[in-house]
């Protein structure tokens, strides 16, 4: 199996503790560019990078504290495009953007600027909560921004986040697929159980069939995590679960290199099973 590999590469923090006294210092966006160069120096055939836009309200809930501020994902992708000395020409740089806090019209200049820098792939991120936090107003939906950008910036390849374990997700994906003119890339949440993902693909294929939609224009990128932490409650919390489905395969691994190796082996297994299921269903 030769999977296309994308690396999650969020924008660097604007301030972070450094030195023996862990004092907070201002950081340059160059720190993220240097990290990206280190990835590219490895002998790995990478398809590209995803640059997350972390919703501060969701991060606040997960961390129970105000999260550190990162550089803007669009600014980071543009800096990488300019500074990687041509190395980015064969890479897909895919910044994410939380789109619910502004109207589509307000956000259009940001997407046009992205396209002007030669960055074609972008992932739109929706609301983290059904009811907004106190004092916050949702001004658009992912569907509305997809439909707007499909008309205004057709040169962009639009994508969304897919959460296969979320109830009603197949219908949500179908709605967004239609809003995007039936051409959409999905960045899937990471998988801890390939069987659950395979069952979701069956549900999604049935939803598309019921709506007379073709799967031809849908691309699904499977999210895979490296479970390097010994305490994996953090990963389970990201999936809104008490315990990872794959916990049994990682128990007893005391050394971080063992957990990384086990994660890679398990992820390749998951990816192949899911890809085969996707081919069977017509993805």
């Amino acid at each position: 199996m030769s999977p296309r590999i994308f690396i999650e590469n969020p924008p660097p923090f604007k301030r972070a503790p450094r030195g023996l006294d862990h004092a907070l210092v201002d950081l340059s966006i160059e720190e993220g560019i240097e990290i990206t160069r280190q990835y590219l120096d490895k002998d790995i055939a990478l398809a590209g990078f995803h640059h997350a836009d972390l919703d501060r309200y969701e991060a606040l809930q997960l961390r129970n504290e105000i999260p550190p501020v990162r550089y803007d994902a669009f600014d980071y992708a543009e800096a990488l495009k300019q500074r990687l000395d041509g190395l980015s020409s064969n890479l897909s740089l895919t910044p994410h953007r939380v789109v619910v806090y502004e109207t589509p019209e307000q956000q259009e200049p940001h997407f046009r600027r992205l396209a002007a820098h030669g960055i074609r792939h972008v992932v739109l991120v929706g609301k983290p909560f059904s009811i907004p936090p106190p004092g916050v107003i949702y001004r658009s939906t992912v569907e509305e921004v997809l439909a707007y950008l499909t008309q205004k910036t057709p040169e962009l390849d639009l994508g969304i986040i897919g959460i296969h374990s979320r109830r009603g997700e197949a219908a949500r994906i179908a709605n967004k697929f239609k809003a995007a003119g039936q051409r959409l890339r999905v960045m899937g949440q990471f998988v801890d159980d390939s069987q659950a993902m395979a069952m979701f693909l069956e549900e999604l294929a049935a939803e598309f069939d019921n709506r007379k939609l073709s799967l031809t224009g849908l691309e699904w990128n499977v999210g895979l995590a490296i479970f390097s932490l010994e305490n994996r409650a953090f990963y389970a919390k990201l999936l809104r679960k008490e315990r990872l489905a794959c916990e049994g395969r990682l128990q007893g691994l005391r050394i971080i290199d063992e957990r990384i190796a086990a994660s890679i082996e398990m992820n390749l297994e998951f990816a192949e099973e899911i890809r085969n299921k996707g081919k069977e269903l017509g993805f």
Side-chain angles (χ1 to χ4, degrees), residues 94 119-123 153-159 183 185:
T94 307
I119 299 170
R120 297 288 182 259
H121 301 291
V122 61
V123 169
T153 55
E155 65 271 30
L156 291 177
D157 289 320
L158 303 174
R183 184 172 67 93
R185 173 180 290 183

Side-chain angles (χ1 to χ4, degrees), residues 7 10-11 34 48 59 70-71 77 93 99 141-142 149 153-154 164 171 173 176 197 199 202 229 236-237 261 271:
I7 299 291
E34 178 56 32
R70 293 181 181 268
Y71 281 92
L93 301 178
V99 297
T141 65
V142 171
L149 293 177
T153 55
H164 65 276
I173 298 294
K176 292 169 183 176
M197 182 64 195
M199 290 174 62
E202 291 180 348
L229 299 178
K237 190 174 184 180

Side-chain angles (χ1 to χ4, degrees), residues 148-194:
Y148 184 88
L149 293 177
T150 297
Q151 296 297 320
K152 297 292 185 177
T153 55
E155 65 271 30
L156 291 177
D157 289 320
L158 303 174
I160 60 170
I161 298 294
I163 305 176
H164 65 276
S165 59
R166 183 166 57 180
R167 181 176 298 178
E169 187 70 355
R172 289 189 187 90
I173 298 294
N175 291 338
K176 292 169 183 176
F177 182 72
K178 289 183 68 176
Q182 301 193 35
R183 184 172 67 93
L184 188 65
R185 173 180 290 183
V186 182
M187 179 62 215
Q189 193 174 37
F190 70 85
V191 175
D192 68 335
D193 179 2
S194 60

Side-chain angles (χ1 to χ4, degrees), residues 229-240:
L229 299 178
E230 188 169 7
N231 181 357
R232 286 170 291 279
F234 169 75
Y235 306 109
K237 190 174 184 180
L238 291 176
L239 293 177
R240 308 294 195 270

Side-chain angles (χ1 to χ4, degrees), residues 6-258:
F6 293 87
I7 299 291
E8 176 62 49
N9 178 17
F13 293 112
K14 289 188 173 182
R15 303 193 76 204
R18 292 290 186 271
L20 295 177
D21 57 353
H22 299 287
L24 280 175
V25 299
D26 294 333
L27 299 177
S28 165
I29 203 168
E30 293 291 331
E31 181 161 301
I33 294 171
E34 178 56 32
I35 290 172
T36 306
R37 287 185 187 278
Q38 291 180 29
Y39 279 121
L40 296 176
D41 286 342
K42 304 297 182 183
D43 188 22
I44 305 172
L46 294 179
F49 297 94
H50 276 262
H51 314 297
D53 184 17
L54 304 177
D55 188 292
R56 64 182 293 102
Y57 300 105
E58 183 178 22
L60 175 61
Q61 184 192 64
L62 288 172
R63 297 167 61 100
N64 295 319
E65 61 182 7
I66 297 175
V69 177
R70 293 181 181 268
Y71 281 92
D72 178 80
F74 281 18
D75 290 343
Y76 183 46
E78 290 163 9
L80 288 172
K81 188 74 173 178
Q82 293 172 341
R83 302 294 300 278
L84 289 180
D85 304 326
L87 294 175
S88 65
S89 60
N90 297 321
L91 292 170
S92 171
L93 301 178
T94 307
H96 297 200
R97 183 178 181 85
V98 179
V99 297
V100 297
Y101 301 114
E102 295 180 313
T103 66
E105 292 80 5
Q106 288 173 319
Q107 299 179 75
E108 181 183 347
H110 303 299
F111 289 95
R112 288 197 178 279
R113 189 191 75 200
L114 199 70
H117 281 82
I119 299 170
R120 297 288 182 259
H121 301 291
V122 61
V123 169
L124 311 187
V125 183
K127 58 188 179 184
F129 314 108
S130 298
I131 300 174
V136 175
I137 298 174
Y138 293 146
R139 301 187 184 278
S140 63
T141 65
V142 171
E143 289 88 342
E144 290 169 346
V145 180
L146 283 170
Y148 184 88
L149 293 177
T150 297
Q151 296 297 320
K152 297 292 185 177
T153 55
E155 65 271 30
L156 291 177
D157 289 320
L158 303 174
I160 60 170
I161 298 294
I163 305 176
H164 65 276
S165 59
R166 183 166 57 180
R167 181 176 298 178
E169 187 70 355
R172 289 189 187 90
I173 298 294
N175 291 338
K176 292 169 183 176
F177 182 72
K178 289 183 68 176
Q182 301 193 35
R183 184 172 67 93
L184 188 65
R185 173 180 290 183
V186 182
M187 179 62 215
Q189 193 174 37
F190 70 85
V191 175
D192 68 335
D193 179 2
S194 60
Q195 292 303 309
M197 182 64 195
M199 290 174 62
F200 169 76
L201 290 179
E202 291 180 348
E203 181 185 353
L204 184 60
E207 183 74 26
F208 270 55
D209 185 58
N210 290 338
R211 298 198 193 191
K212 303 297 189 291
L213 297 173
S214 172
L215 290 169
T216 303
L218 183 71
E219 176 184 316
W220 191 289
N221 292 288
V222 178
L224 302 171
I226 302 297
F227 301 104
S228 58
L229 299 178
E230 188 169 7
N231 181 357
R232 286 170 291 279
F234 169 75
Y235 306 109
K237 190 174 184 180
L238 291 176
L239 293 177
R240 308 294 195 270
K241 301 170 72 170
E242 293 294 327
R243 176 184 170 91
L244 292 175
C246 61
E247 179 64 34
R249 299 181 60 161
L250 299 165
Q251 280 184 335
L253 302 179
R254 303 298 182 189
I255 302 173
I256 187 170
D257 286 352
E258 293 177 337

Side-chain angles (χ1 to χ4, degrees), residues 259-272:
R259 295 193 293 273
I260 291 173
S263 296
I264 293 172
E265 180 181 3
M266 181 173 59
N267 280 331
L268 289 174
E269 177 187 315
F270 285 172
E272 186 164 21

